[in-house]
Amino acid sequence: MPTSVAIEPTTSCNLHCPECPTGLRALKRSKGNMELSFFNNIIEQIKETTTSLVLYFQGEPYLLNNFTDLVYSASKAGIYTFTSTNAHFLTTENCRNTVLSGLDKLIVSFDGTTQNVYENYRQNGNLQTVVSGIEEIVKWKKKLHSKTPFVYLQFLVVKHNEHQIAELKAIAKKLGVDGVLLKTAQLNDFKNGNALMPTIEKYSRYKKNSDGTYSLKNKLENKCWRLWSSTVITFDGKMLPCCFDKDAQFAVGSLKENSFRELWFGKEMNNFRQRILLNRKNIPICTNCTEGLSVFA
């Protein structure tokens, strides 16, 4: 059984980020919200073997009205929980409930230290709202004498914000968060270059070739540890091989029809694993995979 599972709370999002299928409103699968009773059923099936639960996939988690109820259920089952948010819904009530829910880690997308830079990627977003939300969650941690959730500012390093990394670290210190994550951007169209591609090489997932085109830095070898250690569950119960399968093209079945164990050890999942071991380059969701190149602490 996998030690790490990701469960999607919702497919809804308030922003329009240019490299995100949800932000582009281009998600090709059904859209909706995770039901608490269904979520609890999944937790019951995985609680003995899962050590960490990722509570996000596509969409903004806090757009699910009872999101912190999901967190509480998983925390109560003894599972380490974390989520990622654009922080536009970190209201007083949500922050208080978040701390009380037992959430272990909160990643906040903070992709610019000024509004004009921030909104280049987080389109339709407001940086001051984000800052206010962070201040609110830090306040409630102190008020409730809680060390958790550990709060991290995540900075998606692209060309227009790479000059703000030092300023980001200063802001993080001022806000009293627990750390900064510098993340490289997955670009849908990179072969001939991309306006978002950073000039600082270590923050790019891609390398420039002698003919002027770009390719992934890492080699697509016929292996993938994720297929034996983790999985993703969509809001409506589809089990996916990994988080690169945004549109659930390679779903191996549904938890509304089979148990978690049946799907994880089932024919469809094992067939997909076999395809990875034979010829990973022929699997579309693997061709832009940058496992091992995504985050710099």
Side-chain angles (χ1 to χ4, degrees), residues 117 156-163 194-200:
V117 171
L156 189 67
V157 183
V158 288
K159 187 174 183 178
H160 60 257
N161 69 8
E162 60 185 357
H163 64 287
N194 188 301
L196 290 172
M197 202 173 285
T199 62
I200 304 174

Side-chain angles (χ1 to χ4, degrees), residues 233-246:
I233 307 299
T234 62
F235 81 93
D236 53 353
K238 292 183 176 67
M239 180 180 285
L240 312 182
C242 80
C243 61
F244 275 82
D245 192 11
K246 315 289 191 212

Side-chain angles (χ1 to χ4, degrees), residues 65-123:
N65 291 332
N66 62 340
F67 171 66
T68 53
D69 291 338
L70 270 62
V71 178
Y72 179 73
S73 292
S75 296
K76 191 171 61 173
I79 303 173
Y80 181 94
T81 57
F82 66 98
T83 192
S84 179
T85 177
N86 62 47
H88 283 73
F89 304 96
L90 292 182
T91 61
T92 295
E93 182 181 8
N94 278 341
C95 287
R96 178 180 180 276
N97 289 341
T98 294
V99 177
L100 292 174
S101 72
L103 184 71
D104 291 289
K105 181 178 178 181
L106 180 67
I107 299 171
V108 178
S109 297
F110 200 98
D111 302 321
T113 61
T114 56
Q115 176 62 28
N116 65 315
V117 171
Y118 171 81
E119 66 185 359
N120 265 310
Y121 190 82
R122 298 293 164 182
Q123 295 177 15

Side-chain angles (χ1 to χ4, degrees), residues 106-111 130 134 151-156 168-169 171-173 175 177-183:
L106 180 67
I107 299 171
V108 178
S109 297
F110 200 98
D111 302 321
V130 175
I134 295 167
V151 181
Y152 290 86
L153 303 190
Q154 181 170 274
F155 199 72
L156 189 67
L168 167 75
K169 293 178 180 178
I171 290 174
K173 186 176 182 179
L175 289 173
V177 298
D178 297 285
V180 168
L181 300 173
L182 302 178
K183 184 177 182 180

Side-chain angles (χ1 to χ4, degrees), residues 208-232:
K208 193 171 185 178
N209 303 314
S210 57
D211 62 358
T213 61
Y214 290 84
S215 59
L216 291 175
K217 284 181 179 177
N218 65 329
K219 296 179 181 179
L220 273 184
E221 298 178 337
N222 294 331
K223 59 183 179 180
C224 180
W225 64 274
R226 283 186 176 272
L227 292 180
W228 283 266
S229 63
S230 63
T231 188
V232 177

